[in-house]
Amino acid sequence: LRDNRIELVRASWHELSISVSDVSLSDEGQYTCSLFTMPVKTSKAFLTVLGVPEKPQIIGFTSPVMEGERMQLTCKTSGSKPAADIRWFKNDKEVKDAKFSKEEDAIRKTFTVSSTMDFLADRSDDGAVVSCRVDHESLNSTPQIAMQVLEIHYTPLVKIISSNSWPEEGQSIILTCESKGKPVPEPVLWTKDGGELPDPERMVVNGRVLSISFLNKTDNGTYRCEAKNPIGRNSTEYVLIVHDVFNTLLPTTVIPSLTTATVTTNVALTASTTTSATATNIRDPNALAGQTGPDHALIGGIVAVVVFVTLCSIILLGRYLARHKGTYLTNEAKGAEDAPDADTAIINAEGSQVNAEEKKEYFI
């Protein structure tokens, strides 16, 4: 061996040791140790040199990428022997569907390895860290890693948040338009029913916030918030319904059973309050929460039953009286019907009474 990188470490009758510095792939091969005796004795060993892969690189990324575009990222490393292994990760989660390929260098007997990841850009990928990891036995369990931070541009995502879920007349409401996009959206545009805000004095826009004071029924309508950036625009709507204040003071009817009914009425007076001595304030635990106003259907049914029972009673009483009412005539009264006057009727009645053997009564 004639090489300046090879040094004699130890030489004796029993051992001959050498060292090779700055090992290269050309040092791979068969080494022979000879003992010049009669006959000559030899011993052989084969040295295998591993090719350390170069630091990987990610190519194919152009910043920024529009949402919906197809991305192809390729990770490439050279000089590995044997061929290195490449794996992809997105935010520390491994990506399996990648295409792997390798090419062998005929002169150096090393490999160039590459892997391609193909996917559609999505807004959820904005800011994600994509890493390419190269594993090889020469790296002593310390892989080489290349990283790339994704930048995805997308149209704004718009949402309206209301400060009052049940707005009433005289109250105020604040509508906040949340818009998220990349690049950052421009100031939002508020409209009502397709036109400008009708009352700028009460409807104040401050950035993304719309404040409406002293609500009334004319404020009912559809409010639209629109946001845009260089990529595009998006909008969302909020339907505002202003409720009456006196809805909370409507009478409340509670029916605890089929035979009794308790009506509770709340009356707001400006000067004085009169309370009946027989008034009760009993709430049925089975009544629905938030139910207001009398149950007209049930009251009407009760009234109809009472009227029906009354009519039936009158009809039965009339039939009873009619069956006990009539005219009773005896034989003495016979002949009186044809008499022209009262005296003749008496005479006819007396005559018939004399000749009659017995009296009979007839029921007509």
Side-chain angles (χ1 to χ4, degrees), residues 54-191:
E54 298 177 357
K55 185 176 181 180
Q57 293 181 348
I58 297 177
I59 57 177
F61 178 75
T62 56
S63 181
V65 179
M66 304 303 171
E67 183 180 26
E69 290 185 357
R70 183 167 295 278
M71 297 180 59
Q72 285 187 347
L73 302 181
T74 301
C75 179
K76 187 176 183 180
T77 180
S78 302
S80 61
K81 181 178 175 294
D85 183 35
I86 296 180
R87 291 191 293 170
W88 285 98
F89 293 86
K90 182 190 293 185
N91 289 337
D92 297 331
K93 184 178 180 180
E94 187 173 0
V95 180
K96 296 292 187 180
D97 52 347
K99 297 179 181 179
F100 181 83
S101 64
K102 63 179 180 179
E103 296 179 0
E104 184 178 4
D105 184 355
I107 299 177
R108 301 181 58 190
K109 296 182 180 181
T110 59
F111 292 89
T112 297
V113 182
S114 62
S115 178
T116 302
M117 181 173 61
D118 190 347
F119 63 97
L120 291 177
D122 186 77
R123 64 182 59 197
S124 60
D125 295 330
D126 182 52
V129 178
V130 175
S131 58
C132 167
R133 173 175 169 176
V134 177
D135 293 302
H136 194 262
E137 52 187 305
S138 65
L139 299 177
N140 297 324
S141 302
T142 305
Q144 293 183 346
I145 300 176
M147 293 186 298
Q148 177 67 60
V149 179
L150 302 182
E151 183 181 2
I152 312 297
H153 284 190
Y154 53 93
T155 57
L157 180 65
V158 186
K159 181 175 64 174
I160 295 179
I161 299 177
S162 173
S163 64
N164 193 344
S165 60
W166 187 266
E168 297 179 350
E169 287 185 309
Q171 296 181 348
S172 300
I173 190 172
I174 298 176
L175 301 179
T176 303
C177 180
E178 291 187 352
S179 59
K180 181 181 179 182
K182 195 168 185 177
V184 178
E186 301 174 2
V188 299
L189 175 64
W190 283 98
T191 58

Side-chain angles (χ1 to χ4, degrees), residues 236-294:
T236 187
E237 295 180 347
Y238 176 84
V239 179
L240 175 62
I241 300 177
V242 180
H243 303 273
D244 297 328
V245 178
F246 58 82
N247 281 345
T248 58
L249 299 178
L250 290 176
T252 302
T253 302
V254 181
I255 307 300
S257 65
L258 295 177
T259 57
T260 62
T262 302
V263 180
T264 303
T265 305
N266 298 327
V267 182
L269 301 180
T270 56
S272 61
T273 304
T274 303
T275 305
S276 175
T278 61
T280 59
N281 188 7
I282 302 175
R283 182 173 295 275
D284 185 3
N286 297 325
L288 296 176
Q291 181 179 1
T292 59

